[in-house]
Amino acid sequence: MKPMADLATVETIERLSGEKYKHGFITDIATEFAPRGLNEEVVRFISARKAEPEWMLEWRLEAYRRWRAMDEPDWARLEYAPVDYENLYYYAAPKAKAGPKSLDEVDPELLRTYEKLGIPLKEQAVLAGVEGAPRYAVDAVFDSVSVVTTFRDELSKAGVVFMPISEALREHPELVRKYLGSVVPVSDNYFACLNSAVFSDGSFVYVPPGVRCPMELSTYFRINAQGTGQFERTLIVADRGSYVSYLEGCTAPQRDENQLHAAVVELVALEDAEIKYSTVQNWYPGDAETGRGGIYNFVTKRADCREARAKVSWTQVETGSAITWKYPSCVLRGDGSQGEFYSIAITNGRQQADTGTKMIHLGANTRSRIISKGISAGRSSNTYRGLVSAHPKAKGARNFTQCDSLLIGKDCAAHTVPYVEARNGQSVFEHEATTTRLSEDQLFYCRQRGLSSEEAVALLVNGFVRDVLQQLPMEFAVEAQKLVAVSLEGSVG
Amino acid sequence: MSLAAALRSRDLDQLPSRRDEAWRWTGLRELIRALPPPSPEAEVAPGGPWAEVACDEHRVVNGRCEPFGGLVRLGPGEASTRRLRFVASPEAGAHAARVQVRVEARADLVLLESYEGLGAGYVAAAELDIEVAEGARLTRLVLAEDAEDAVSASQADVRLAPGARLHQSVIATGARRQRIETRVLHPGQGAEARLDGLYVLGEQRHSDHTTSVEHQGPGGLTRQLIKGVAAGQARGVFQGRIAVAKGADGTDARMGHHALILSEQAEIDAKPELEIFADDVACAHGATVGALDPDQLFYARARGLPETEAKALLTAAFLGEVVERIEPEAAREVARAFVEARLRGLA
């Protein structure tokens, strides 16, 4: 839903959250920002603000100290101005009355985008409690804090825990402590380590054994404040035999400076459990001409299929961000577990994306499937980077990978960097990749039938990415399709 | 950062390490703690694995190429077949060699290259600097037969002129660490590169095929087919990179790497890479790693073949695709016999 957050939604969430405040959901909002920069004091500040238990503070401080000793990775095919970590706000809570109050205050470019999408936002209806609205439970995260979670009562009847992680730390400390950092260790990588030190909010989901979550869960992230980094942390645990589908969406307003987004998502699937995780990412991509501004999206997402026959499916539609560094991965530990990765990555203007997945086969008869569709237009660069590995014990492991790249225009670039590591004699890996351009013949055919060149491109590209769109929950597939068209505007002619 | 540089300077810090992306599966710095003494001068008799193909021979023994000055050259319009043998004699320690190959305009050279290890535990590097001029052809056929406990790396830098043609087939049997690297600067404009390869690995042998093709101009063609089998605790590595620079429109490049793992403990690592900066291209790669197809095995056994024979038959057929593409015929027959003998050695 999220990419299409529009003004009304923003207002609705603000209004709802305002009401919550009255009820003591967040009582103290006097301080909007933590001081600029990063030091142990800021980490303590965030932890104190969240009224976290002592062990959590220690965990954060440990992460902070390790992060200080680490170097930022430079192996990805990305070029960007260095991030000034000392000049960021690591914590920003929206004021009760923050947010644009009229259309005049919202960036017209952003509004036009939403208008083009032409979507009365679902979360708007959901949040406003409109009868017959689709039933999603939504957790909205603005800047650093989660402002509202809907449908919580209904979920708790089913035994599903869905709440901001800061709240889960207070209400379910034993669950959080057991699983937090168990998939992405504190010092896994530079950005994950930074996140561990300063993460401010995110969602926590726990689905108890045998429960099929009665509705789609959803988080909506938005970076609003200037000069802020957003460091959300999502932890989803699907206990034995359970099922949950989770959607994540992101937007940010247009700004001249680069904003940092370093999230960590951890998924744990126990025996026979299944998690479906879908992302529609539409952060501000920066100015198409000059490359100014835009989000740096440095995200660590990893799923652990910890027990037999667990299944995790990642689906992502990546159209935004100036820089994307993201490799949603599956550790297939349980025998017979399954991982899937379906991705559409579109870069236009001056965007750069280095994205892909890792499928680590550890258990016997584990299976994985990777379908990646990359589209580069404008002067952008789009890299697929993936690893498929089978360890000696992963007898009968099976992987199929297909990566296709589409180039639109003379000045863009598409790269494919797959790694295959097979360490036993009973696994089968197949990989295929193609790179082509949008066919002139097909374009001509469409235009001859009266489509504008932009409509023709949108039509052809949607055909190219169909395999992935089909994996999205239906309502989102429709929105994603429109998003594909919008993000490719200006790429031809 | 190369083995040759480390051998010349005898400086272990020059060795490529696993931390170097291009050597991630063939790290030498972690492996070599001390270099053997420099290899002495030595003599070997003419012959080698290509002996059945009658032609002139250039020998590089223990890194020394004095007799022919390290230059293999064909003048404009000439056609010839030459053997180029890199031999490590029984006394070999550490050595590095450098050879230049010049194929002038419209010339046609068949280069029968071999790496032969007569000793044990040697560390050898070969560097080839190859130029193929306009309209010229180079057929480079390589048999790499290093000693089991040797470390051997060969690196060829090839510059093609417009309209030039390179056909290369490498057949490798591995060593403690063996790497055969080919880097091609491809101008397009009618030039053509074929970079085939095949590896048959058993015991604890390791073999690394690394290739890189830079398409710099429009209208270039590249074809690549690499096949390999690994048995025992062997490890096969393939790193293939095809880059298409801005403006190299009309490039047509295809790469395939297919490997069989024949034992529980063998390993195959592959990284087929495409790097594309032009939009009017057709580039594709395919990579598969797996075991012999049990259905095929069953079919062969149902017709009365014992299991080992059935496996050998299927494996030979699998590799045959690369062998069949080798020209000229005389060399193909040598290659075929060589591969068959290696396959028998695995069983």
Side-chain angles (χ1 to χ4, degrees):
Chain A
M1 29 203 17
K2 336 1 169 17
M4 302 79 198
D6 74 356
L7 182 66
T9 315
V10 172
E11 283 177 344
T12 311
I13 294 176
E14 292 296 345
R15 200 171 59 244
L16 285 184
S17 53
E19 284 165 20
K20 291 275 186 178
Y21 296 152
K22 272 186 241 154
H23 294 96
F25 169 51
I26 295 174
T27 47
D28 180 8
I29 45 164
T31 310
E32 203 187 358
F33 291 105
R36 227 179 242 276
L38 185 53
N39 50 50
E40 289 202 4
E41 283 315 301
V42 170
V43 176
R44 285 176 197 280
F45 175 92
I46 294 170
S47 188
R49 188 113 321 239
K50 299 282 173 189
E52 287 175 352
E54 186 61 27
W55 65 265
M56 196 60 225
L57 175 63
E58 283 309 314
W59 199 80
R60 286 175 181 276
L61 288 172
E62 170 69 14
Y64 171 75
R65 287 170 202 136
R66 289 202 186 190
W67 179 74
R68 278 288 170 206
M70 292 170 94
D71 293 320
E72 195 169 335
D74 60 359
W75 43 260
R77 188 178 284 281
L78 301 169
E79 281 173 22
Y80 53 90
V83 179
D84 183 358
Y85 293 95
E86 304 307 329
N87 200 26
L88 283 177
Y89 289 111
Y90 287 85
Y91 182 83
K95 285 177 180 167
K97 290 184 180 177
K101 285 297 160 223
S102 75
L103 284 173
D104 301 339
E105 291 177 38
V106 176
D107 193 289
E109 196 61 35
L110 197 66
L111 278 181
R112 270 199 295 278
T113 306
Y114 297 147
E115 201 180 308
K116 280 174 207 152
L117 293 167
I119 294 171
L121 289 179
K122 291 186 193 74
E123 63 258 54
Q124 182 183 338
V126 173
L127 292 170
V130 174
E131 219 171 303
R135 290 155 55 78
Y136 302 114
V138 179
D139 183 13
V141 179
F142 270 57
D143 291 328
S144 304
V145 295
S146 180
V147 290
V148 57
T149 308
T150 61
F151 280 119
R152 198 185 295 182
D153 288 347
E154 193 158 336
L155 286 170
S156 66
K157 268 182 219 151
V160 176
V161 179
F162 177 41
M163 57 176 57
I165 200 158
S166 52
E167 214 175 316
L169 270 165
R170 294 191 293 270
E171 293 189 16
H172 301 280
E174 71 301 332
L175 277 177
V176 178
R177 194 170 186 176
K178 181 170 175 191
Y179 291 106
L180 190 70
S182 72
V183 184
V184 180
V186 167
S187 55
D188 185 80
N189 67 68
Y190 187 79
F191 301 115
C193 193
L194 175 63
N195 175 288
S196 301
V198 302
F199 79 85
S200 37
D201 224 326
S203 304
F204 173 75
V205 178
Y206 172 78
V207 190
V211 171
R212 193 178 168 88
C213 187
M215 62 187 76
E216 308 262 2
L217 303 183
S218 172
T219 304
Y220 162 58
F221 296 108
R222 184 177 167 83
I223 301 180
N224 239 20
Q226 206 154 359
T228 357
Q230 182 162 1
F231 306 93
E232 87 266 1
R233 184 125 194 158
T234 302
L235 173 60
I236 300 178
V237 181
D239 213 321
R240 297 188 170 177
S242 66
Y243 168 84
V244 61
S245 167
Y246 187 90
L247 308 148
E248 171 200 81
C250 329
T251 58
Q254 188 170 1
R255 297 225 185 269
D256 275 350
E257 88 274 29
N258 296 105
Q259 290 164 289
L260 177 64
H261 176 246
V264 172
V265 175
E266 296 180 280
L267 309 185
V268 181
L270 302 183
E271 196 173 274
D272 290 311
E274 179 175 352
I275 301 175
K276 185 171 168 60
Y277 195 105
S278 315
T279 305
V280 178
Q281 184 265 107
N282 188 27
W283 297 115
Y284 176 54
D287 188 86
E289 287 303 314
T290 61
R292 270 171 71 84
I295 301 284
Y296 288 175
N297 194 25
F298 300 144
V299 177
T300 306
K301 292 186 169 182
R302 194 173 304 152
D304 188 354
C305 292
R306 202 161 281 184
E307 296 179 351
R309 297 172 303 280
K311 179 176 176 185
V312 169
S313 170
W314 296 103
T315 306
Q316 61 171 26
V317 179
E318 300 279 323
T319 61
S321 296
I323 309 287
T324 302
W325 179 99
K326 178 180 172 187
Y327 315 91
S329 307
C330 294
V331 181
L332 303 169
R333 203 182 299 272
D335 289 350
S337 58
Q338 277 183 67
E340 291 176 349
F341 176 75
Y342 299 97
S343 167
I344 299 171
I346 300 179
T347 54
N348 197 355
R350 296 256 185 179
Q351 283 175 273
Q352 300 171 58
D354 194 307
T355 182
T357 185
K358 289 183 191 177
M359 293 290 173
I360 317 278
H361 293 256
L362 300 176
N365 299 316
T366 45
R367 279 172 290 163
S368 64
R369 183 181 169 86
I370 300 170
I371 308 285
S372 165
K373 306 278 180 178
I375 297 147
S376 345
R379 300 163 78 175
S380 68
S381 157
N382 200 330
T383 303
Y384 168 83
R385 187 184 301 275
L387 166 73
V388 177
S389 76
H391 286 247
K393 285 181 182 162
K395 309 278 183 239
R398 192 91 175 71
N399 165 266
F400 174 75
T401 302
Q402 185 177 348
C403 325
D404 295 321
S405 304
L406 192 66
L407 294 150
I408 305 175
K410 291 268 166 233
D411 298 314
C412 54
H415 313 301
T416 315
V417 192
Y419 295 79
V420 180
E421 296 181 350
R423 299 211 182 103
N424 74 67
Q426 291 173 30
S427 44
V428 178
F429 290 169
E430 291 170 285
H431 174 102
E432 57 186 51
T434 61
T435 305
T436 47
R437 72 164 166 173
L438 209 55
S439 146
E440 293 288 343
D441 290 351
Q442 291 174 2
L443 275 177
F444 178 75
Y445 181 90
C446 294
R447 298 212 50 199
Q448 213 191 18
R449 268 138 194 88
L451 296 182
S452 71
S453 59
E454 286 190 346
E455 285 167 334
V457 169
L459 180 74
L460 295 175
V461 169
N462 271 307
F464 175 75
V465 300
R466 209 174 64 112
D467 291 351
V468 176
L469 285 181
Q470 281 172 342
Q471 299 298 326
L472 283 171
M474 209 255 289
E475 304 81 346
F476 290 83
V478 175
E479 294 182 4
Q481 204 167 335
K482 291 184 179 159
L483 191 59
V484 167
V486 170
S487 29
L488 285 171
E489 271 182 8
S491 62
V492 284
Chain B
M1 199 69 68
S2 72
L3 179 59
L7 292 178
R8 289 205 184 93
S9 62
R10 295 194 66 83
D11 175 5
L12 292 175
D13 288 341
Q14 298 275 323
L15 288 171
S17 114
R18 275 203 301 263
R19 289 172 166 273
D20 300 316
E21 176 61 24
W23 292 80
R24 56 183 290 127
W25 291 309
T26 311
L28 298 180
R29 201 181 303 174
E30 295 79 4
L31 184 83
I32 301 175
R33 294 283 163 223
L35 287 176
S39 303
E41 275 188 46
E43 294 267 330
V44 295
W50 294 111
E52 285 174 35
V53 184
C55 61
D56 289 343
E57 177 174 313
H58 305 291
R59 274 188 304 282
V60 183
V61 180
N62 290 354
R64 290 166 178 81
C65 32
E66 282 83 14
F68 69 104
L71 173 67
V72 181
R73 179 178 171 274
L74 281 200
E78 288 178 6
S80 178
T81 299
R82 307 277 176 86
R83 276 198 293 273
L84 175 62
R85 298 174 61 202
F86 292 90
V87 186
S89 76
E91 315 75 55
H95 58 259
R98 190 172 170 79
V99 172
Q100 288 187 317
V101 178
R102 296 286 177 268
V103 190
E104 305 287 350
R106 300 173 317 285
D108 186 348
L109 173 64
V110 176
L111 190 66
L112 303 173
E113 197 172 312
S114 58
Y115 294 86
E116 303 163 44
L118 308 178
Y122 58 89
V123 178
E127 291 175 307
L128 289 97
D129 177 80
I130 300 174
E131 277 187 23
V132 187
E134 213 151 320
R137 293 167 160 217
L138 170 64
T139 305
R140 179 176 177 229
L141 305 175
V142 183
L143 291 181
E145 205 183 7
D146 279 299
E148 189 189 349
D149 57 356
V151 174
S152 167
S154 147
Q155 182 181 313
D157 284 285
V158 185
R159 284 179 302 283
L160 299 179
R165 194 196 80 176
L166 166 72
H167 278 189
Q168 169 175 309
S169 300
V170 174
I171 297 176
T173 58
R176 187 165 175 224
R177 291 290 183 280
Q178 179 187 61
R179 169 145 159 152
I180 297 169
E181 182 171 356
T182 310
R183 302 195 291 214
V184 180
L185 292 184
H186 197 311
Q189 302 163 67
E192 183 190 323
R194 192 160 86 194
L195 297 169
D196 287 357
L198 181 162
Y199 51 89
V200 182
L201 308 176
E203 298 149 334
Q204 292 177 330
R205 285 175 182 255
H206 164 288
S207 184
D208 173 338
H209 277 254
T210 295
T211 64
S212 161
V213 182
E214 303 258 357
H215 282 270
Q216 299 172 315
L221 181 80
T222 294
R223 289 288 179 273
Q224 180 164 40
L225 179 64
I226 306 275
K227 287 195 157 191
V229 297
Q233 292 163 279
R235 184 177 192 188
V237 173
F238 168 68
Q239 304 185 103
R241 171 173 168 270
I242 293 176
V244 180
K246 200 170 164 179
D249 290 312
T251 295
D252 179 356
R254 268 177 242 164
M255 172 197 286
H257 169 254
H258 306 284
L260 288 179
I261 300 185
L262 298 180
S263 72
E264 288 306 311
Q265 291 176 308
E267 175 172 347
I268 302 285
D269 300 308
K271 182 184 171 198
E273 198 178 344
L274 296 175
E275 202 179 302
I276 317 263
F277 290 94
D279 75 331
D280 186 9
V281 297
C283 292
H285 66 230
T288 59
V289 182
L292 280 174
D293 183 344
D295 290 345
Q296 292 178 6
L297 208 53
F298 176 78
Y299 181 91
R301 295 200 59 197
R303 267 134 198 89
L305 287 179
E307 184 166 348
T308 42
E309 259 179 64
K311 279 186 178 171
L313 181 76
L314 292 174
T315 312
F318 173 78
L319 296 175
E321 198 181 345
V322 175
V323 177
E324 292 310 320
R325 285 156 66 116
I326 295 174
E327 296 282 351
E329 195 185 344
R332 180 167 65 234
E333 292 314 316
V334 172
R336 194 197 310 277
F338 184 88
V339 171
E340 279 170 9
R342 289 304 164 289
L343 278 177
R344 274 195 299 278
L346 288 188

